[in-house]
Amino acid sequence: MVNGSGTGRSGANSVQSVDRAVSVLEILAKHGEAGVTDVAAELGVHKSTAFRLLGALEHRGLVEQTGDRGKYRLGVGIVRLAGATAARLDLSQETRPVCEQLAARLGETVNVAIADHDAAVNVAQVRGSAAVTSHNWVGRRTPLHATSSGKVLLAFLPPERLRLALARPLARFTDNTVTSTKSLREQLVQVRATGCAFSFEELEIGLNAAAAPVRSYDGVVVGAISVSGPSYRLTEQRLREVTQQVVEAGVEASRRMGFN
């Protein structure tokens, strides 16, 4: 007959081992690589315990030894697991709660857009309480250079893809549209530095917007979350006041997509 208390202790030990194994992965993620002694010290366990944990993780491909024997780093098994999870994450679905929260706080329309060749395509939209228009932006293709979301998507393109994207003439939509490649590149430098892009009546007269990047688990920018509204309400000053909230929404959306 199995003793109930013994089963409880065994279960507790198993949970503790799992917790420690996860802690080992977090330690390696933080430091890049670490030895058995380092891992044992951070966990507060004996070196033999740390060695067993690392051995079990290595067997599963979740950690691997570097060229310097005794040092461990995260293994390719982590990439496999992360990729499997990321493949199931749907951008519009995962970012919707963030859009709803931002729209509720600001009262304006919030969109999520992705890059599609030479355009930005909106894949999600939530209208805030102050939004007076019923215009649906979902599925609409908008020019990258004339929208806040588009500027975010441009800013984080690899250099060669950015060069190709800016090789064509920049179409003018309003008097405020940026049609100078030099001026646009200067704006993109600021976007990369601040994590936020703006559009002041550049696509449509009377429409202003601000956007921030959304990253996938590997840090790649896969979308942009934006807030937009009429220029008489979302003035330049007002947009700059809510910049931090837009950036924080991008960070939270990225977290939901698996980016730490």
Side-chain angles (χ1 to χ4, degrees):
M1 179 176 178
V2 177
N3 183 283
S5 60
T7 302
R9 284 195 298 272
S10 176
N13 289 336
S14 297
V15 171
Q16 185 183 51
S17 295
V18 172
D19 183 69
R20 284 174 172 172
V22 172
S23 296
V24 170
L25 297 177
E26 292 176 338
I27 289 169
L28 296 181
K30 180 173 65 175
H31 296 298
E33 61 178 37
V36 175
T37 302
D38 303 320
V39 171
E42 288 211 34
L43 288 179
V45 300
H46 194 275
K47 285 177 60 175
S48 62
T49 300
F51 185 78
R52 285 196 299 272
L53 288 168
L54 286 162
L57 292 169
E58 184 178 22
H59 178 69
R60 292 287 187 171
L62 299 177
V63 306
E64 61 188 21
Q65 293 193 56
T66 65
D68 180 10
R69 298 293 293 179
K71 294 284 188 180
Y72 291 82
R73 65 188 176 196
L74 294 178
V76 294
I78 290 290
V79 178
R80 183 184 68 250
L81 294 177
T85 300
R88 293 195 298 270
L89 293 176
D90 179 79
L91 184 65
S92 61
Q93 176 182 328
E94 292 300 321
T95 58
R96 187 162 188 84
V98 182
C99 293
E100 291 172 345
Q101 292 167 11
L102 188 61
R105 285 200 300 268
L106 302 183
E108 304 292 353
T109 299
V110 175
N111 284 284
V112 172
I114 60 173
D116 181 27
H117 300 292
D118 59 347
V121 177
N122 291 287
V123 296
Q125 175 177 286
V126 176
R127 284 190 289 271
S129 59
V132 293
T133 177
S134 60
H135 184 74
N136 186 0
W137 290 86
V138 175
R140 178 174 172 181
R141 293 169 58 85
T142 56
L144 294 171
H145 69 286
T147 59
S148 60
S149 291
K151 290 177 186 178
V152 165
L153 297 170
L154 279 174
F156 293 96
L157 283 178
E160 180 59 20
R161 287 186 60 192
L162 177 60
R163 185 189 68 78
L164 292 174
L166 300 184
R168 295 178 293 273
L170 302 177
R172 180 177 294 282
F173 299 94
T174 74
D175 289 342
N176 290 346
T177 306
V178 179
T179 57
S180 162
T181 301
K182 180 176 182 294
S183 297
L184 181 59
R185 282 188 177 275
E186 290 173 352
Q187 284 194 23
L188 299 183
V189 170
Q190 289 299 310
V191 174
R192 287 189 286 272
T194 63
C196 192
F198 299 97
S199 174
F200 300 110
E201 299 186 90
E202 296 172 40
L203 178 64
E204 295 181 6
I205 294 297
L207 180 67
N208 288 347
V214 178
R215 300 177 184 272
S216 63
Y217 74 97
D218 55 0
V220 174
V221 172
V222 293
I225 184 169
S226 67
V227 58
S228 60
S231 56
Y232 66 82
R233 192 168 60 233
L234 271 186
T235 62
E236 179 172 349
Q237 178 181 344
R238 174 60 178 159
L239 271 180
R240 297 193 185 280
E241 289 173 352
V242 303
T243 293
Q244 187 58 35
Q245 294 183 63
V246 178
V247 171
E248 289 174 355
V251 171
E252 174 59 18
S254 300
R255 187 194 67 76
R256 294 183 62 89
M257 290 297 294
F259 179 66
N260 185 2

